[in-house]
Amino acid sequence: MENKTNQQLLELRTQHVPRGPFNVAPIFVKRAQGAMIEDVEGKTYIDFGGGIGVVNVGHCNEKIVAAIQDQAQQYLHTCFHISMYEPYVVLAKRLNEITPGDFPKKTFFVNSGAEAVENAVKIARYATKKQGIIAFENAFHGRTYMGMSLTSKVKPYKSGFAPFCPEVYRMPFAYCYRCPFGRSYPSCDIYCADALEDFFIGYAEAESVAAVIAEPVQGEGGFVVPPVEYFKKIMAICEKNGVLFIMDEIQSGMGRTGKLFASEHFGVEPDIILTAKSLAAGLPLAGVTGKADVMEMPPVGSLGGTFGGNPVSCRAALAVLDFLNEDFLLKSQELGERVRGHFLDLQKEFPIIGDVRGLGLMLAMELVEDRQTKAPATEKAKALVSRCLEKGLIVLACGNHGNVIRTLMPLVITEEQLEKGCSILKEGLNEISGV
Ligand SMILES: Cc1ncc(COP(=O)(O)O)c(C=O)c1O
């Protein structure tokens, strides 16, 4: 590559790439290592975005790179449907073993999170011979037609792209900070989960619903963490009504919440569980894992694709799973507690921080104009993201109103980098709120 400046590359980007694929930072990367990114002009950034939760094991983790290099020297692609290879089946076995649920499972691979969502819906519909899919308010499940139909936020994800996939229903989620039912935890007795029973009466009969799909911690929707009892209740209602439960762990999985899967925090064993993002540390790979009897239903040839389960991606994923051992996850839990402590301290200092929430290193602060009205501080969140960038910290916003600042830093981040990142956030908060 020639040595170009960020500005020169930005001009090329603007000229040759449509605006639809968004960019958070107007920088171009030269190299990335661990939790640090260096741009083409030599400026370094602490990465609290992790490529949107993709590099939990760190940028260019040497164990993963070694596995990738080793595989790349043997074969890059044969297509699993034409001539099979060991990394695919070994990875499927590993995921069947480590995903929640001590029952027989099967896994197959596709290329992206959205594609995993598509396939989960296909399988659920085929297996149940029913059509309805219930998703949640604030959900994000990708940008393909089914992914987008299941996604909640209208702009920019859905606006202008209608018609959407039919038989998709939406019910309120357990967003305690803004309870859709106006109640408060724990006196609510998790009414929002019981509401699924009413949903089957008032909106879509269970006899025509194939599955409920949820994120254990909503990602793009604002890092919303439901009460610990929530999913058990939801799953019990699903089971009673012959409805499958699909857990989308695409953003929350692979150690992000301090456990391998966020479902473990809730003690639930979904019928189908989806992995992507950090599964292969930056190479495209997504897994659809589910109860064996359900997964076996669709006939030969009905699932798959040319690139799904590419051998290099599978080798990377096997190395990721080796890396995410118990000690490592324990350490990331400790780091999570440290960041939560910082965020709670910041909340005491800055009235703009209405809520601090999250699990492990999947943490967020929701910014509001006023703690009483909870009016979303969307513009201030935007300003904070750009102030942080100027100071050398990449951080992302999320939420239906874009007013939630979230952390998706590599779990290998050093304490020093973490502290520095948090102090940049504090400086940025100072500047945007004028405290
Ligand atoms: C929870 C969740 N599901 C699905 C997706 C879609 O994944 P992809 O962008 O790989 O298609 C995302 C992406 O952010 C996600 O966070």
Side-chain angles (χ1 to χ4, degrees), residues 52 54 111-117 139-144 147 151 157 213-221 248-252 274 276-277 285-286 362 406:
I52 322 193
V54 168
N111 303 294
S112 69
E115 213 186 327
V117 168
F140 183 87
H141 296 291
R143 290 181 175 82
T144 54
T151 290
Y157 302 129
I213 182 167
E215 300 154 84
V217 177
Q218 289 187 323
E220 305 303 301
D248 177 344
E249 289 256 17
I250 287 164
Q251 190 160 154
S252 59
L274 307 178
K277 287 196 184 275
L285 185 69
M362 190 169 188
R406 58 174 157 172

PDB file of all heavy atoms in Angstrom, residues 52 54 111-117 139-144 147 151 157 213-221 248-252 274 276-277 285-286 362 406, ligand 1:
ATOM      1  N   ILE A  52     -16.655  -3.257  16.768  1.00  0.00           N
ATOM      2  CA  ILE A  52     -18.020  -3.595  17.219  1.00  0.00           C
ATOM      3  C   ILE A  52     -18.048  -5.009  17.817  1.00  0.00           C
ATOM      4  O   ILE A  52     -18.765  -5.904  17.346  1.00  0.00           O
ATOM      5  CB  ILE A  52     -19.113  -3.432  16.132  1.00  0.00           C
ATOM      6  CG1 ILE A  52     -18.876  -2.217  15.240  1.00  0.00           C
ATOM      7  CG2 ILE A  52     -20.486  -3.312  16.810  1.00  0.00           C
ATOM      8  CD1 ILE A  52     -20.059  -1.828  14.365  1.00  0.00           C
ATOM      9  N   VAL A  54     -15.811  -7.436  18.021  1.00  0.00           N
ATOM     10  CA  VAL A  54     -15.306  -8.565  17.236  1.00  0.00           C
ATOM     11  C   VAL A  54     -13.951  -9.070  17.750  1.00  0.00           C
ATOM     12  O   VAL A  54     -13.612 -10.230  17.571  1.00  0.00           O
ATOM     13  CB  VAL A  54     -15.230  -8.170  15.743  1.00  0.00           C
ATOM     14  CG1 VAL A  54     -14.444  -9.181  14.933  1.00  0.00           C
ATOM     15  CG2 VAL A  54     -16.639  -8.028  15.182  1.00  0.00           C
ATOM     16  N   ASN A 111     -21.585 -16.957   7.311  1.00  0.00           N
ATOM     17  CA  ASN A 111     -20.531 -15.925   7.247  1.00  0.00           C
ATOM     18  C   ASN A 111     -20.705 -14.730   8.173  1.00  0.00           C
ATOM     19  O   ASN A 111     -19.738 -14.046   8.463  1.00  0.00           O
ATOM     20  CB  ASN A 111     -20.434 -15.382   5.822  1.00  0.00           C
ATOM     21  CG  ASN A 111     -20.179 -16.487   4.841  1.00  0.00           C
ATOM     22  OD1 ASN A 111     -19.131 -17.111   4.862  1.00  0.00           O
ATOM     23  ND2 ASN A 111     -21.157 -16.763   3.995  1.00  0.00           N
ATOM     24  N   SER A 112     -21.927 -14.438   8.547  1.00  0.00           N
ATOM     25  CA  SER A 112     -22.155 -13.200   9.299  1.00  0.00           C
ATOM     26  C   SER A 112     -23.275 -13.403  10.306  1.00  0.00           C
ATOM     27  O   SER A 112     -24.039 -14.384  10.213  1.00  0.00           O
ATOM     28  CB  SER A 112     -22.566 -12.074   8.344  1.00  0.00           C
ATOM     29  OG  SER A 112     -23.860 -12.363   7.842  1.00  0.00           O
ATOM     30  N   GLY A 113     -23.353 -12.441  11.224  1.00  0.00           N
ATOM     31  CA  GLY A 113     -24.407 -12.512  12.222  1.00  0.00           C
ATOM     32  C   GLY A 113     -25.789 -12.537  11.582  1.00  0.00           C
ATOM     33  O   GLY A 113     -26.643 -13.355  11.941  1.00  0.00           O
ATOM     34  N   ALA A 114     -26.005 -11.653  10.641  1.00  0.00           N
ATOM     35  CA  ALA A 114     -27.326 -11.570  10.012  1.00  0.00           C
ATOM     36  C   ALA A 114     -27.683 -12.893   9.331  1.00  0.00           C
ATOM     37  O   ALA A 114     -28.838 -13.354   9.383  1.00  0.00           O
ATOM     38  CB  ALA A 114     -27.353 -10.429   8.998  1.00  0.00           C
ATOM     39  N   GLU A 115     -26.678 -13.515   8.726  1.00  0.00           N
ATOM     40  CA  GLU A 115     -26.937 -14.781   8.043  1.00  0.00           C
ATOM     41  C   GLU A 115     -27.290 -15.885   9.056  1.00  0.00           C
ATOM     42  O   GLU A 115     -28.096 -16.776   8.767  1.00  0.00           O
ATOM     43  CB  GLU A 115     -25.688 -15.177   7.238  1.00  0.00           C
ATOM     44  CG  GLU A 115     -25.988 -15.901   5.962  1.00  0.00           C
ATOM     45  CD  GLU A 115     -24.720 -16.397   5.279  1.00  0.00           C
ATOM     46  OE1 GLU A 115     -23.665 -15.728   5.373  1.00  0.00           O
ATOM     47  OE2 GLU A 115     -24.802 -17.457   4.661  1.00  0.00           O
ATOM     48  N   ALA A 116     -26.683 -15.807  10.237  1.00  0.00           N
ATOM     49  CA  ALA A 116     -27.020 -16.768  11.294  1.00  0.00           C
ATOM     50  C   ALA A 116     -28.475 -16.569  11.726  1.00  0.00           C
ATOM     51  O   ALA A 116     -29.222 -17.540  11.917  1.00  0.00           O
ATOM     52  CB  ALA A 116     -26.082 -16.598  12.483  1.00  0.00           C
ATOM     53  N   VAL A 117     -28.883 -15.303  11.848  1.00  0.00           N
ATOM     54  CA  VAL A 117     -30.263 -14.996  12.229  1.00  0.00           C
ATOM     55  C   VAL A 117     -31.226 -15.552  11.172  1.00  0.00           C
ATOM     56  O   VAL A 117     -32.230 -16.206  11.490  1.00  0.00           O
ATOM     57  CB  VAL A 117     -30.443 -13.466  12.391  1.00  0.00           C
ATOM     58  CG1 VAL A 117     -31.909 -13.086  12.504  1.00  0.00           C
ATOM     59  CG2 VAL A 117     -29.653 -12.963  13.601  1.00  0.00           C
ATOM     60  N   ALA A 139     -34.508  -4.365  19.681  1.00  0.00           N
ATOM     61  CA  ALA A 139     -33.671  -5.471  19.194  1.00  0.00           C
ATOM     62  C   ALA A 139     -32.879  -5.050  17.963  1.00  0.00           C
ATOM     63  O   ALA A 139     -33.313  -4.195  17.187  1.00  0.00           O
ATOM     64  CB  ALA A 139     -34.558  -6.657  18.825  1.00  0.00           C
ATOM     65  N   PHE A 140     -31.714  -5.672  17.806  1.00  0.00           N
ATOM     66  CA  PHE A 140     -30.964  -5.537  16.552  1.00  0.00           C
ATOM     67  C   PHE A 140     -30.513  -6.932  16.135  1.00  0.00           C
ATOM     68  O   PHE A 140     -29.868  -7.640  16.908  1.00  0.00           O
ATOM     69  CB  PHE A 140     -29.733  -4.630  16.706  1.00  0.00           C
ATOM     70  CG  PHE A 140     -29.001  -4.439  15.399  1.00  0.00           C
ATOM     71  CD1 PHE A 140     -29.373  -3.432  14.511  1.00  0.00           C
ATOM     72  CD2 PHE A 140     -27.971  -5.297  15.021  1.00  0.00           C
ATOM     73  CE1 PHE A 140     -28.709  -3.274  13.293  1.00  0.00           C
ATOM     74  CE2 PHE A 140     -27.313  -5.145  13.801  1.00  0.00           C
ATOM     75  CZ  PHE A 140     -27.690  -4.133  12.938  1.00  0.00           C
ATOM     76  N   HIS A 141     -30.863  -7.304  14.912  1.00  0.00           N
ATOM     77  CA  HIS A 141     -30.489  -8.642  14.443  1.00  0.00           C
ATOM     78  C   HIS A 141     -29.849  -8.616  13.061  1.00  0.00           C
ATOM     79  O   HIS A 141     -29.750  -9.662  12.420  1.00  0.00           O
ATOM     80  CB  HIS A 141     -31.703  -9.572  14.456  1.00  0.00           C
ATOM     81  CG  HIS A 141     -32.258  -9.823  15.838  1.00  0.00           C
ATOM     82  ND1 HIS A 141     -31.588 -10.561  16.792  1.00  0.00           N
ATOM     83  CD2 HIS A 141     -33.406  -9.408  16.432  1.00  0.00           C
ATOM     84  CE1 HIS A 141     -32.311 -10.599  17.911  1.00  0.00           C
ATOM     85  NE2 HIS A 141     -33.412  -9.903  17.722  1.00  0.00           N
ATOM     86  N   GLY A 142     -29.452  -7.439  12.568  1.00  0.00           N
ATOM     87  CA  GLY A 142     -28.722  -7.399  11.300  1.00  0.00           C
ATOM     88  C   GLY A 142     -29.432  -6.626  10.215  1.00  0.00           C
ATOM     89  O   GLY A 142     -30.525  -6.084  10.416  1.00  0.00           O
ATOM     90  N   ARG A 143     -28.791  -6.604   9.051  1.00  0.00           N
ATOM     91  CA  ARG A 143     -29.263  -5.732   7.965  1.00  0.00           C
ATOM     92  C   ARG A 143     -29.800  -6.476   6.750  1.00  0.00           C
ATOM     93  O   ARG A 143     -30.115  -5.847   5.744  1.00  0.00           O
ATOM     94  CB  ARG A 143     -28.127  -4.798   7.534  1.00  0.00           C
ATOM     95  CG  ARG A 143     -27.780  -3.736   8.561  1.00  0.00           C
ATOM     96  CD  ARG A 143     -26.673  -2.847   8.042  1.00  0.00           C
ATOM     97  NE  ARG A 143     -26.385  -1.741   8.931  1.00  0.00           N
ATOM     98  CZ  ARG A 143     -25.625  -1.814  10.010  1.00  0.00           C
ATOM     99  NH1 ARG A 143     -25.072  -2.968  10.348  1.00  0.00           N
ATOM    100  NH2 ARG A 143     -25.407  -0.746  10.754  1.00  0.00           N
ATOM    101  N   THR A 144     -29.851  -7.802   6.782  1.00  0.00           N
ATOM    102  CA  THR A 144     -30.502  -8.519   5.679  1.00  0.00           C
ATOM    103  C   THR A 144     -32.009  -8.352   5.853  1.00  0.00           C
ATOM    104  O   THR A 144     -32.459  -7.784   6.855  1.00  0.00           O
ATOM    105  CB  THR A 144     -30.148 -10.009   5.743  1.00  0.00           C
ATOM    106  OG1 THR A 144     -30.481 -10.479   7.056  1.00  0.00           O
ATOM    107  CG2 THR A 144     -28.673 -10.255   5.476  1.00  0.00           C
ATOM    108  N   GLY A 147     -33.128 -10.052   9.052  1.00  0.00           N
ATOM    109  CA  GLY A 147     -32.445  -9.373  10.162  1.00  0.00           C
ATOM    110  C   GLY A 147     -33.058  -8.001  10.404  1.00  0.00           C
ATOM    111  O   GLY A 147     -33.355  -7.613  11.542  1.00  0.00           O
ATOM    112  N   THR A 151     -35.227  -6.360  13.465  1.00  0.00           N
ATOM    113  CA  THR A 151     -34.620  -5.204  14.134  1.00  0.00           C
ATOM    114  C   THR A 151     -35.695  -4.173  14.439  1.00  0.00           C
ATOM    115  O   THR A 151     -36.657  -4.007  13.691  1.00  0.00           O
ATOM    116  CB  THR A 151     -33.502  -4.632  13.233  1.00  0.00           C
ATOM    117  OG1 THR A 151     -32.426  -5.575  13.234  1.00  0.00           O
ATOM    118  CG2 THR A 151     -32.999  -3.290  13.720  1.00  0.00           C
ATOM    119  N   TYR A 157     -31.992   1.888   9.987  1.00  0.00           N
ATOM    120  CA  TYR A 157     -31.963   0.487   9.566  1.00  0.00           C
ATOM    121  C   TYR A 157     -33.094   0.077   8.630  1.00  0.00           C
ATOM    122  O   TYR A 157     -32.915  -0.801   7.792  1.00  0.00           O
ATOM    123  CB  TYR A 157     -31.961  -0.427  10.798  1.00  0.00           C
ATOM    124  CG  TYR A 157     -30.786  -0.166  11.715  1.00  0.00           C
ATOM    125  CD1 TYR A 157     -30.976   0.040  13.077  1.00  0.00           C
ATOM    126  CD2 TYR A 157     -29.489  -0.113  11.213  1.00  0.00           C
ATOM    127  CE1 TYR A 157     -29.888   0.284  13.922  1.00  0.00           C
ATOM    128  CE2 TYR A 157     -28.404   0.138  12.044  1.00  0.00           C
ATOM    129  CZ  TYR A 157     -28.618   0.344  13.387  1.00  0.00           C
ATOM    130  OH  TYR A 157     -27.555   0.592  14.214  1.00  0.00           O
ATOM    131  N   ILE A 213     -37.135 -14.593  19.461  1.00  0.00           N
ATOM    132  CA  ILE A 213     -35.692 -14.341  19.340  1.00  0.00           C
ATOM    133  C   ILE A 213     -35.318 -13.150  20.216  1.00  0.00           C
ATOM    134  O   ILE A 213     -36.006 -12.123  20.210  1.00  0.00           O
ATOM    135  CB  ILE A 213     -35.254 -14.131  17.866  1.00  0.00           C
ATOM    136  CG1 ILE A 213     -33.731 -13.931  17.802  1.00  0.00           C
ATOM    137  CG2 ILE A 213     -35.983 -12.981  17.191  1.00  0.00           C
ATOM    138  CD1 ILE A 213     -33.161 -14.038  16.386  1.00  0.00           C
ATOM    139  N   ALA A 214     -34.242 -13.309  20.978  1.00  0.00           N
ATOM    140  CA  ALA A 214     -33.815 -12.223  21.877  1.00  0.00           C
ATOM    141  C   ALA A 214     -32.299 -12.159  21.959  1.00  0.00           C
ATOM    142  O   ALA A 214     -31.616 -13.150  21.719  1.00  0.00           O
ATOM    143  CB  ALA A 214     -34.375 -12.479  23.278  1.00  0.00           C
ATOM    144  N   GLU A 215     -31.813 -10.984  22.324  1.00  0.00           N
ATOM    145  CA  GLU A 215     -30.406 -10.831  22.699  1.00  0.00           C
ATOM    146  C   GLU A 215     -30.376 -10.856  24.231  1.00  0.00           C
ATOM    147  O   GLU A 215     -31.165 -10.149  24.852  1.00  0.00           O
ATOM    148  CB  GLU A 215     -29.861  -9.479  22.232  1.00  0.00           C
ATOM    149  CG  GLU A 215     -29.910  -9.251  20.737  1.00  0.00           C
ATOM    150  CD  GLU A 215     -29.981  -7.756  20.412  1.00  0.00           C
ATOM    151  OE1 GLU A 215     -28.935  -7.106  20.375  1.00  0.00           O
ATOM    152  OE2 GLU A 215     -31.103  -7.243  20.226  1.00  0.00           O
ATOM    153  N   PRO A 216     -29.463 -11.615  24.831  1.00  0.00           N
ATOM    154  CA  PRO A 216     -29.445 -11.664  26.301  1.00  0.00           C
ATOM    155  C   PRO A 216     -29.152 -10.296  26.911  1.00  0.00           C
ATOM    156  O   PRO A 216     -29.724  -9.930  27.942  1.00  0.00           O
ATOM    157  CB  PRO A 216     -28.345 -12.667  26.625  1.00  0.00           C
ATOM    158  CG  PRO A 216     -27.574 -12.866  25.372  1.00  0.00           C
ATOM    159  CD  PRO A 216     -28.454 -12.488  24.226  1.00  0.00           C
ATOM    160  N   VAL A 217     -28.243  -9.555  26.279  1.00  0.00           N
ATOM    161  CA  VAL A 217     -28.037  -8.140  26.600  1.00  0.00           C
ATOM    162  C   VAL A 217     -28.188  -7.441  25.260  1.00  0.00           C
ATOM    163  O   VAL A 217     -27.431  -7.734  24.330  1.00  0.00           O
ATOM    164  CB  VAL A 217     -26.626  -7.872  27.163  1.00  0.00           C
ATOM    165  CG1 VAL A 217     -26.424  -6.383  27.410  1.00  0.00           C
ATOM    166  CG2 VAL A 217     -26.388  -8.659  28.445  1.00  0.00           C
ATOM    167  N   GLN A 218     -29.165  -6.582  25.144  1.00  0.00           N
ATOM    168  CA  GLN A 218     -29.362  -5.942  23.837  1.00  0.00           C
ATOM    169  C   GLN A 218     -28.137  -5.109  23.492  1.00  0.00           C
ATOM    170  O   GLN A 218     -27.636  -4.343  24.320  1.00  0.00           O
ATOM    171  CB  GLN A 218     -30.622  -5.083  23.857  1.00  0.00           C
ATOM    172  CG  GLN A 218     -31.880  -5.939  23.902  1.00  0.00           C
ATOM    173  CD  GLN A 218     -33.141  -5.135  23.745  1.00  0.00           C
ATOM    174  OE1 GLN A 218     -33.234  -4.012  24.244  1.00  0.00           O
ATOM    175  NE2 GLN A 218     -34.122  -5.698  23.066  1.00  0.00           N
ATOM    176  N   GLY A 219     -27.665  -5.248  22.262  1.00  0.00           N
ATOM    177  CA  GLY A 219     -26.443  -4.577  21.845  1.00  0.00           C
ATOM    178  C   GLY A 219     -26.711  -3.205  21.265  1.00  0.00           C
ATOM    179  O   GLY A 219     -26.697  -2.194  21.987  1.00  0.00           O
ATOM    180  N   GLU A 220     -26.995  -3.170  19.953  1.00  0.00           N
ATOM    181  CA  GLU A 220     -27.218  -1.877  19.303  1.00  0.00           C
ATOM    182  C   GLU A 220     -28.368  -1.111  19.980  1.00  0.00           C
ATOM    183  O   GLU A 220     -28.415   0.106  19.952  1.00  0.00           O
ATOM    184  CB  GLU A 220     -27.554  -2.061  17.810  1.00  0.00           C
ATOM    185  CG  GLU A 220     -26.537  -2.862  17.020  1.00  0.00           C
ATOM    186  CD  GLU A 220     -25.149  -2.268  17.107  1.00  0.00           C
ATOM    187  OE1 GLU A 220     -24.959  -1.111  16.723  1.00  0.00           O
ATOM    188  OE2 GLU A 220     -24.260  -2.983  17.598  1.00  0.00           O
ATOM    189  N   GLY A 221     -29.292  -1.868  20.582  1.00  0.00           N
ATOM    190  CA  GLY A 221     -30.471  -1.250  21.210  1.00  0.00           C
ATOM    191  C   GLY A 221     -30.178  -0.531  22.512  1.00  0.00           C
ATOM    192  O   GLY A 221     -31.091   0.044  23.116  1.00  0.00           O
ATOM    193  N   ASP A 248     -29.767 -14.734  20.495  1.00  0.00           N
ATOM    194  CA  ASP A 248     -28.786 -14.098  19.613  1.00  0.00           C
ATOM    195  C   ASP A 248     -27.627 -13.602  20.482  1.00  0.00           C
ATOM    196  O   ASP A 248     -27.705 -12.546  21.105  1.00  0.00           O
ATOM    197  CB  ASP A 248     -29.469 -12.935  18.869  1.00  0.00           C
ATOM    198  CG  ASP A 248     -28.503 -12.174  17.970  1.00  0.00           C
ATOM    199  OD1 ASP A 248     -27.280 -12.329  18.134  1.00  0.00           O
ATOM    200  OD2 ASP A 248     -28.981 -11.399  17.117  1.00  0.00           O
ATOM    201  N   GLU A 249     -26.562 -14.413  20.532  1.00  0.00           N
ATOM    202  CA  GLU A 249     -25.371 -14.067  21.336  1.00  0.00           C
ATOM    203  C   GLU A 249     -24.286 -13.475  20.447  1.00  0.00           C
ATOM    204  O   GLU A 249     -23.098 -13.557  20.774  1.00  0.00           O
ATOM    205  CB  GLU A 249     -24.844 -15.330  22.043  1.00  0.00           C
ATOM    206  CG  GLU A 249     -25.726 -15.823  23.155  1.00  0.00           C
ATOM    207  CD  GLU A 249     -25.172 -15.481  24.543  1.00  0.00           C
ATOM    208  OE1 GLU A 249     -24.296 -14.599  24.649  1.00  0.00           O
ATOM    209  OE2 GLU A 249     -25.643 -16.107  25.504  1.00  0.00           O
ATOM    210  N   ILE A 250     -24.683 -12.898  19.344  1.00  0.00           N
ATOM    211  CA  ILE A 250     -23.710 -12.424  18.359  1.00  0.00           C
ATOM    212  C   ILE A 250     -22.810 -11.340  18.945  1.00  0.00           C
ATOM    213  O   ILE A 250     -21.600 -11.352  18.748  1.00  0.00           O
ATOM    214  CB  ILE A 250     -24.460 -11.985  17.085  1.00  0.00           C
ATOM    215  CG1 ILE A 250     -24.963 -13.241  16.362  1.00  0.00           C
ATOM    216  CG2 ILE A 250     -23.598 -11.114  16.170  1.00  0.00           C
ATOM    217  CD1 ILE A 250     -26.029 -13.014  15.320  1.00  0.00           C
ATOM    218  N   GLN A 251     -23.400 -10.419  19.705  1.00  0.00           N
ATOM    219  CA  GLN A 251     -22.586  -9.356  20.317  1.00  0.00           C
ATOM    220  C   GLN A 251     -22.182  -9.706  21.756  1.00  0.00           C
ATOM    221  O   GLN A 251     -21.104  -9.358  22.211  1.00  0.00           O
ATOM    222  CB  GLN A 251     -23.349  -8.017  20.295  1.00  0.00           C
ATOM    223  CG  GLN A 251     -22.489  -6.854  20.681  1.00  0.00           C
ATOM    224  CD  GLN A 251     -23.009  -5.499  20.226  1.00  0.00           C
ATOM    225  OE1 GLN A 251     -22.704  -4.490  20.833  1.00  0.00           O
ATOM    226  NE2 GLN A 251     -23.766  -5.417  19.161  1.00  0.00           N
ATOM    227  N   SER A 252     -23.043 -10.428  22.450  1.00  0.00           N
ATOM    228  CA  SER A 252     -22.814 -10.665  23.883  1.00  0.00           C
ATOM    229  C   SER A 252     -21.959 -11.896  24.161  1.00  0.00           C
ATOM    230  O   SER A 252     -21.511 -12.092  25.290  1.00  0.00           O
ATOM    231  CB  SER A 252     -24.171 -10.851  24.580  1.00  0.00           C
ATOM    232  OG  SER A 252     -24.855 -11.955  24.001  1.00  0.00           O
ATOM    233  N   LEU A 274     -26.960 -18.298  18.688  1.00  0.00           N
ATOM    234  CA  LEU A 274     -26.230 -17.760  17.536  1.00  0.00           C
ATOM    235  C   LEU A 274     -24.945 -17.078  17.986  1.00  0.00           C
ATOM    236  O   LEU A 274     -24.954 -16.285  18.934  1.00  0.00           O
ATOM    237  CB  LEU A 274     -27.105 -16.737  16.797  1.00  0.00           C
ATOM    238  CG  LEU A 274     -28.493 -17.248  16.414  1.00  0.00           C
ATOM    239  CD1 LEU A 274     -29.292 -16.148  15.731  1.00  0.00           C
ATOM    240  CD2 LEU A 274     -28.387 -18.480  15.528  1.00  0.00           C
ATOM    241  N   ALA A 276     -21.263 -15.092  16.422  1.00  0.00           N
ATOM    242  CA  ALA A 276     -20.582 -14.491  15.253  1.00  0.00           C
ATOM    243  C   ALA A 276     -19.527 -13.546  15.828  1.00  0.00           C
ATOM    244  O   ALA A 276     -18.858 -13.902  16.800  1.00  0.00           O
ATOM    245  CB  ALA A 276     -21.568 -13.762  14.345  1.00  0.00           C
ATOM    246  N   LYS A 277     -19.393 -12.372  15.260  1.00  0.00           N
ATOM    247  CA  LYS A 277     -18.467 -11.336  15.765  1.00  0.00           C
ATOM    248  C   LYS A 277     -17.164 -11.922  16.312  1.00  0.00           C
ATOM    249  O   LYS A 277     -16.311 -12.331  15.538  1.00  0.00           O
ATOM    250  CB  LYS A 277     -19.190 -10.472  16.797  1.00  0.00           C
ATOM    251  CG  LYS A 277     -20.220  -9.532  16.136  1.00  0.00           C
ATOM    252  CD  LYS A 277     -20.634  -8.428  17.079  1.00  0.00           C
ATOM    253  CE  LYS A 277     -21.709  -7.534  16.504  1.00  0.00           C
ATOM    254  NZ  LYS A 277     -21.213  -6.463  15.673  1.00  0.00           N
ATOM    255  N   LEU A 285     -17.210 -15.343  10.328  1.00  0.00           N
ATOM    256  CA  LEU A 285     -17.713 -16.667  10.707  1.00  0.00           C
ATOM    257  C   LEU A 285     -18.869 -16.486  11.679  1.00  0.00           C
ATOM    258  O   LEU A 285     -18.812 -15.649  12.567  1.00  0.00           O
ATOM    259  CB  LEU A 285     -16.609 -17.481  11.402  1.00  0.00           C
ATOM    260  CG  LEU A 285     -16.983 -18.931  11.743  1.00  0.00           C
ATOM    261  CD1 LEU A 285     -17.119 -19.775  10.467  1.00  0.00           C
ATOM    262  CD2 LEU A 285     -15.943 -19.574  12.660  1.00  0.00           C
ATOM    263  N   ALA A 286     -19.911 -17.266  11.479  1.00  0.00           N
ATOM    264  CA  ALA A 286     -21.028 -17.255  12.420  1.00  0.00           C
ATOM    265  C   ALA A 286     -21.502 -18.687  12.599  1.00  0.00           C
ATOM    266  O   ALA A 286     -21.467 -19.483  11.661  1.00  0.00           O
ATOM    267  CB  ALA A 286     -22.168 -16.381  11.890  1.00  0.00           C
ATOM    268  N   MET A 362     -19.189  -5.674  28.963  1.00  0.00           N
ATOM    269  CA  MET A 362     -20.249  -5.153  28.088  1.00  0.00           C
ATOM    270  C   MET A 362     -21.011  -4.127  28.921  1.00  0.00           C
ATOM    271  O   MET A 362     -22.091  -4.394  29.446  1.00  0.00           O
ATOM    272  CB  MET A 362     -21.169  -6.297  27.631  1.00  0.00           C
ATOM    273  CG  MET A 362     -22.157  -5.920  26.549  1.00  0.00           C
ATOM    274  SD  MET A 362     -22.969  -7.370  25.836  1.00  0.00           S
ATOM    275  CE  MET A 362     -23.856  -6.594  24.470  1.00  0.00           C
ATOM    276  N   ARG A 406     -21.138   2.836  24.964  1.00  0.00           N
ATOM    277  CA  ARG A 406     -20.911   1.434  25.330  1.00  0.00           C
ATOM    278  C   ARG A 406     -19.437   1.048  25.239  1.00  0.00           C
ATOM    279  O   ARG A 406     -18.672   1.665  24.506  1.00  0.00           O
ATOM    280  CB  ARG A 406     -21.712   0.526  24.390  1.00  0.00           C
ATOM    281  CG  ARG A 406     -21.354   0.738  22.933  1.00  0.00           C
ATOM    282  CD  ARG A 406     -22.040  -0.266  22.028  1.00  0.00           C
ATOM    283  NE  ARG A 406     -22.164   0.220  20.666  1.00  0.00           N
ATOM    284  CZ  ARG A 406     -22.594  -0.527  19.660  1.00  0.00           C
ATOM    285  NH1 ARG A 406     -22.943  -1.759  19.863  1.00  0.00           N
ATOM    286  NH2 ARG A 406     -22.687  -0.027  18.445  1.00  0.00           N
TER     287      ARG A 406
HETATM  288  C1  LIG B   1     -27.053  -8.945  18.370  1.00  0.00           C
HETATM  289  C2  LIG B   1     -26.670  -8.875  16.926  1.00  0.00           C
HETATM  290  N1  LIG B   1     -27.265  -9.694  16.048  1.00  0.00           N
HETATM  291  C3  LIG B   1     -26.939  -9.663  14.743  1.00  0.00           C
HETATM  292  C4  LIG B   1     -25.999  -8.776  14.253  1.00  0.00           C
HETATM  293  C5  LIG B   1     -25.658  -8.766  12.796  1.00  0.00           C
HETATM  294  O1  LIG B   1     -24.376  -9.262  12.631  1.00  0.00           O
HETATM  295  P1  LIG B   1     -23.577  -8.947  11.267  1.00  0.00           P
HETATM  296  O2  LIG B   1     -23.271  -7.492  11.283  1.00  0.00           O
HETATM  297  O3  LIG B   1     -22.359  -9.830  11.366  1.00  0.00           O
HETATM  298  O4  LIG B   1     -24.475  -9.332  10.150  1.00  0.00           O
HETATM  299  C6  LIG B   1     -25.372  -7.895  15.131  1.00  0.00           C
HETATM  300  C7  LIG B   1     -24.402  -6.902  14.646  1.00  0.00           C
HETATM  301  O5  LIG B   1     -24.107  -5.924  15.257  1.00  0.00           O
HETATM  302  C8  LIG B   1     -25.709  -7.955  16.500  1.00  0.00           C
HETATM  303  O6  LIG B   1     -25.152  -7.120  17.390  1.00  0.00           O
END
